[in-house]
Amino acid sequence: MQIQAYQFIKYDRNTSIEHIEKVHNTGAIICFDFEDGILNPLEMDMSASLKAEAREIFNTLYSLIYNFNKDIKIGIRLNNIKTSDFEKDLIEIRGKTFDSIFIPKIEQPDEIQLILSKLNEYKIEYKNLIPIIESKKGFENLANTLQSIKKLSKIAFGHCDYNLDIGAYPFFHQDSWEYWKWITVITATIERNGIQLINSPYLNTANETFFCSMLDYITKKKNYFCGQFTLSTRQSELCKSRESNDKNFTKNLENKNKISVNKNLALELVKEFEANNKLKGLSKSNNKFLSFQEYLASKKHISDTRLINELCFVGGCFPVQYNVVFEDLFHQRLRRKIEDDYNNKLN
């Protein structure tokens, strides 16, 4: 069973048309990143020059793809509209045509209206304009956004940015029930508007069994899902062809809503990220990607010197209500209120 892959490729001055064709042959849409993937996490002041270089390299590769004449579909993730890099992106892609344009950190309809106007101004053509939901505000405003903008047929979810925005630590990834609570809320909203979802990237490329099980799950729910972000050619190949797994996908999920993590684990993540980073928004270690967002969250967790208090609830199913997303559970609301009012930390 096939699901459309949207593969974010690594690209530099040595990227060849043969490499791009190899990804294209998996059936993936070739996605170029101008946003979080193009930065230096260890020297953020260098990020502006890295982004400028990435735009220049992209223009060269775009010409190669255009002249290759193999109907290679191109996607691009622009920078957030609230940044100065957004306008710079538009200047570089003026007059070009894309299958998909991804717009990150969308929180309200006005932002999309402005982006539509800007794309028209710069004569940029596209088949799909795809907002990425990556913040609590964007999550809560999703229904209003979809009702206000009738040109949308797809949206995407960025779970690493979302985890960072709500202050979750450690992050909830696809192997957790908490992640799929978010997906349940999103799919219930988009179903009413005839829109489909592109699933957030799965960072653990070593665990192909889980990845395939997840792909089977979302493929069976094609009225909700239209694609999967991928981070490797192998992941894209699995989106196209794999052995079906009859096991119940949900049996692989864990309830990660437990006591807070030891700071030593956060220190290990920071060390691992920094040791393996190659001036990108992702680091790769032992066939697993570590996100820039979880790196930032780890550093914040390590530097938190507030007094820690502990509170225990004994409540059966109540503390993990199946139909309430993690950040809206009563104990998380209470935790935030106590931490804000008394400047301490509550486990």
Side-chain angles (χ1 to χ4, degrees), residues 2 4-5 7 9 17-30 68 70-73 233-234 236-241:
Q2 188 169 354
Q4 179 62 60
Q7 183 175 332
I9 66 166
I17 192 65
E18 288 77 19
H19 171 68
I20 291 172
E21 184 182 22
K22 182 180 178 182
V23 178
H24 165 69
N25 289 338
T26 68
I29 293 171
I30 314 294
F68 196 56
K70 286 285 185 77
D71 192 31
I72 295 174
K73 293 182 172 63
T233 303
R234 176 61 179 165
S236 295
E237 289 170 346
L238 291 171
C239 287
K240 183 178 182 180
S241 177

Side-chain angles (χ1 to χ4, degrees), residues 125-182:
E125 297 184 12
Y126 52 90
K127 182 179 179 182
N128 296 294
L129 183 69
I130 305 175
I132 310 177
I133 305 305
E134 298 180 290
S135 70
K136 181 63 172 169
K137 186 176 180 181
F139 187 87
E140 292 175 338
N141 286 344
L142 179 58
N144 182 40
T145 298
L146 297 182
Q147 288 164 9
S148 302
I149 309 295
K150 301 302 183 184
K151 291 187 176 183
L152 303 177
S153 61
K154 302 175 183 180
I155 66 164
F157 182 49
H159 80 285
C160 287
D161 273 297
Y162 192 80
N163 272 280
L164 182 64
D165 189 63
I166 65 168
Y169 195 82
F171 280 12
F172 298 126
H173 298 287
Q174 284 93 334
D175 59 350
S176 70
W177 277 105
E178 288 76 12
Y179 175 91
W180 295 96
K181 280 187 180 184
W182 295 329

Side-chain angles (χ1 to χ4, degrees), residues 37-70:
I38 308 299
L39 50 79
N40 181 349
L42 311 183
E43 294 286 346
M44 289 298 289
D45 290 345
M46 290 179 58
S47 297
S49 60
L50 289 173
K51 287 178 182 291
E53 182 182 26
R55 295 184 191 102
E56 180 186 335
I57 294 169
F58 168 76
N59 273 331
T60 300
L61 292 174
Y62 183 91
S63 297
L64 281 175
I65 293 169
Y66 185 83
N67 294 327
F68 196 56
N69 198 26
K70 286 285 185 77

Side-chain angles (χ1 to χ4, degrees), residues 271-289:
K271 289 178 183 176
E272 190 176 7
F273 184 94
E274 291 180 350
N276 293 280
N277 191 259
K278 297 180 179 179
L279 309 185
K280 298 289 184 183
L282 290 170
S283 291
K284 190 175 184 181
S285 174
N286 297 320
N287 270 335
K288 182 177 181 180
F289 286 99

